[in-house]
Amino acid sequence: MTRHKFNVGKWLPSDQEFENKWIKKVYEEAMQEENRNLLPPVQALKELIESDRYIWNLFQMMFDEIPEKDVDTPAGTPQVRDYQQLLLMLNRIIQRAPEFNTTGLVGTPINAILDYPMGTKAGYVLFNDPKVNARFRNILNYWGRYLQSEDSTYVLNTSDKGWLSNTALNEMAKEAKGDNFLDLFNCRSNDVKQKLGFRSWDDFFTRTFKNDVRPVVNADDPNVIANACESAPFRIARNVPLKNKFWIKGQPYSLLDLLHNDPWTSKFEGGTIYQAFLSALSYHRWNSPVSGKIVKAYHINGSYYGEALSQGFENPSGADPVAANDSQAFLTSTATRAVIFIQADNPKIGLMCFVAVGMGDVSNNEITVRIGQHVKKGEQLGMFHFGGSTHVLLFQPTVDLDFNLHGQKPGIDSSNIKVRDEIAVVK
């Protein structure tokens, strides 16, 4: 199986052994908390499992389908084997904030403990069930509120696991193609003892660049498409069909599923899709790729832990060790999303669409523009909270684009292109 420097754009560790040790630590801590009461949203998931025979059976089948032998991990790695253990681990995770580490960030800890369950047939069905997703949505919202509270700032420190250590600050500066964190990002204070002025983990995570750090490239040229996120190119697809079997191995795009049967979907039949993914260490706000008017904007509640069936244990090459890694195209049709339609000022572009896709633990895609608002190329559209993920730009078939991927090919091993930099030119 191909090994990448990082899994899911640095959301999970480059070092599989580190992830195994981390899961073991969470498992042991959760077991020690066995006598504690479950938090309300976790208790609600427990009640759903135990009151719905269909859901209960899916949970049992999902854990039974995981191979007894460790899959691509060192022997002895503890795995979640029943829903009671899972509930305790969820209860533990949503009362803590992510810590920094040098081997890679466990930025999506729930995704990490569900990697194997997500790769089963029963898991495929379970994690696409609306009732199950409603319970997970409440769990993630609870965690999101904690991450927006002052209590979550305890990880903003200078220890080896702290986000304000020299190592962490240097890594984030390097990811942003700079040398000094304080020169790149807006901070309310320059004092690490004051947590640089950040008021919560989420406040730190959604930090903004200083005004002159990410200028709009070719701002006055309406034919230049700007990169909407600080992101790495994943895939370009042309002549995209209206409907397709998005669950098959090739993971083709399905417009009706991507846009959730929006009445305007047919306008993009035969058009072009550009998809790119974000790193955990990067800037997480979305910016308009063109100048134009916001004509429609809304959220879609999708799945949170879905994985393409072809990337699970059914895959002859083995299950994806990080479930969201190879399923990004699939997730554009199934995961929670924010959809923003923009009527570009440039008639050669016309109506286009930006879609923010929340992967794994990402539960909050915040839209910050309103319908009828005019935005300039590079202006903010919204942001990911706590996680990040992937995003899509969708163009109609009449738009002829020449993409500029800055010397690289799209794929999971690509690297970030700066936000507001050129990614395509309309011919």
Side-chain angles (χ1 to χ4, degrees):
M1 190 182 300
T2 301
R3 278 291 169 268
H4 306 284
K5 183 179 179 182
F6 283 88
N7 293 319
V8 198
K10 302 185 183 179
W11 286 101
L12 289 167
S14 55
D15 185 342
Q16 186 70 50
E17 185 177 354
F18 174 85
E19 183 177 346
N20 297 335
K21 291 180 179 178
W22 180 87
I23 293 175
K24 182 177 181 179
K25 177 177 178 288
V26 174
Y27 180 90
E28 291 174 346
E29 290 178 355
M31 294 307 103
Q32 293 172 3
E33 297 175 352
E34 189 169 358
N35 294 325
R36 294 182 59 178
N37 293 330
L38 295 179
L39 296 168
V42 181
Q43 177 65 28
L45 176 59
K46 180 177 187 291
E47 292 171 359
L48 171 66
I49 296 170
E50 296 178 348
S51 65
D52 189 311
R53 189 68 182 178
Y54 173 72
I55 299 296
W56 186 88
N57 280 333
L58 284 176
F59 266 97
Q60 302 304 316
M61 292 169 62
M62 176 178 71
F63 289 115
D64 288 345
E65 286 177 19
I66 300 172
E68 287 297 323
K69 184 179 179 181
D70 285 337
V71 181
D72 198 36
T73 62
T77 300
Q79 293 185 30
V80 183
R81 287 294 183 179
D82 57 53
Y83 75 86
Q84 291 94 343
Q85 292 177 351
L86 173 61
L87 292 170
L88 289 172
M89 293 180 80
L90 290 174
N91 206 58
R92 181 259 183 210
I93 285 171
I94 64 174
Q95 299 179 72
R96 291 163 173 82
E99 296 177 335
F100 176 81
N101 70 78
T102 55
T103 61
L105 166 67
V106 181
T108 50
I110 298 175
N111 199 125
I113 64 174
L114 291 177
D115 277 349
Y116 288 173
M118 289 166 65
T120 65
K121 288 183 178 180
Y124 175 85
V125 177
L126 179 69
F127 292 118
N128 280 289
D129 185 279
K131 290 187 288 186
V132 173
N133 278 304
R135 298 305 190 280
F136 270 102
R137 184 181 311 122
N138 289 337
I139 289 171
L140 293 169
N141 286 341
Y142 183 99
W143 191 24
R145 288 191 292 272
Y146 170 77
L147 295 174
Q148 291 179 325
S149 73
E150 187 177 355
D151 290 343
S152 66
T153 61
Y154 75 91
V155 293
L156 303 182
N157 61 62
T158 57
S159 72
D160 59 353
K161 295 181 180 179
W163 285 94
L164 303 185
S165 65
N166 287 334
T167 301
L169 293 175
N170 289 337
E171 284 295 312
M172 287 181 284
K174 182 180 177 181
E175 187 70 21
K177 305 183 188 300
D179 298 320
N180 188 306
F181 184 92
L182 294 176
D183 291 338
L184 293 165
F185 297 101
N186 289 310
C187 304
R188 298 182 188 90
S189 168
N190 291 335
D191 188 352
V192 291
K193 295 181 181 179
Q194 299 298 320
K195 305 182 188 301
L196 299 183
F198 291 107
R199 297 163 181 164
S200 69
W201 157 257
D202 185 73
D203 186 32
F204 171 77
F205 185 81
T206 59
R207 61 191 177 273
T208 57
F209 280 118
K210 291 189 173 182
N211 290 336
D212 59 346
V213 171
R214 289 292 187 268
V216 180
V217 175
N218 296 319
D220 297 327
D221 187 344
N223 291 323
V224 172
I225 308 295
N227 195 17
C229 299
E230 188 94 352
S231 55
F234 177 72
R235 185 181 291 182
I236 296 171
R238 302 181 190 271
N239 195 27
V240 181
L242 195 63
K243 182 71 175 177
N244 215 328
K245 296 179 180 180
F246 60 83
W247 57 85
I248 66 176
K249 186 175 181 180
Q251 295 183 64
Y253 294 101
S254 176
L255 291 175
L256 280 170
D257 295 291
L258 169 65
L259 298 178
H260 201 57
N261 300 306
D262 189 283
W264 290 351
T265 304
S266 60
K267 296 177 184 291
F268 297 95
E269 183 176 8
T272 301
I273 278 181
Y274 170 77
Q275 184 175 2
F277 61 94
L278 288 76
S279 159
L281 301 179
S282 295
Y283 166 87
H284 277 86
R285 296 179 182 242
W286 328 322
N287 298 269
S288 184
V290 299
S291 294
K293 182 180 179 181
I294 307 298
V295 290
K296 189 185 292 189
Y298 56 87
H299 293 92
I300 298 172
N301 288 325
S303 63
Y304 297 95
Y305 298 101
E307 175 184 6
L309 194 58
S310 61
Q311 299 301 328
F313 292 112
E314 295 297 300
N315 189 341
S317 300
D320 182 355
V322 182
N325 202 14
D326 298 322
S327 299
Q328 291 193 52
F330 167 81
L331 294 176
T332 65
S333 293
T334 58
T336 177
R337 333 193 257 293
V339 180
I340 302 174
F341 288 92
I342 306 170
Q343 184 67 43
D345 294 342
N346 185 350
K348 290 165 63 176
I349 300 173
L351 183 69
M352 67 154 298
C353 187
F354 167 88
V355 184
V357 183
M359 288 165 51
D361 299 0
V362 184
S363 60
N364 193 328
N365 304 321
E366 181 185 1
I367 298 172
T368 58
V369 289
R370 64 184 186 279
I371 296 173
Q373 178 181 342
H374 185 275
V375 292
K376 292 182 180 179
K377 182 165 57 176
E379 285 190 2
Q380 182 174 296
L381 297 175
M383 72 193 81
F384 290 115
H385 286 278
F386 176 50
S389 322
T390 187
H391 74 282
V392 163
L393 300 182
L394 183 56
F395 300 91
Q396 295 183 82
T398 54
V399 183
D400 189 4
L401 294 165
D402 183 12
F403 282 93
N404 175 10
L405 303 185
H406 299 254
Q408 57 185 333
K409 295 181 179 179
I412 197 66
D413 290 313
S414 62
S415 58
N416 278 354
I417 298 172
K418 293 179 180 180
V419 66
R420 301 189 182 100
D421 206 341
E422 177 187 303
I423 59 162
V425 176
V426 183
K427 296 181 182 178

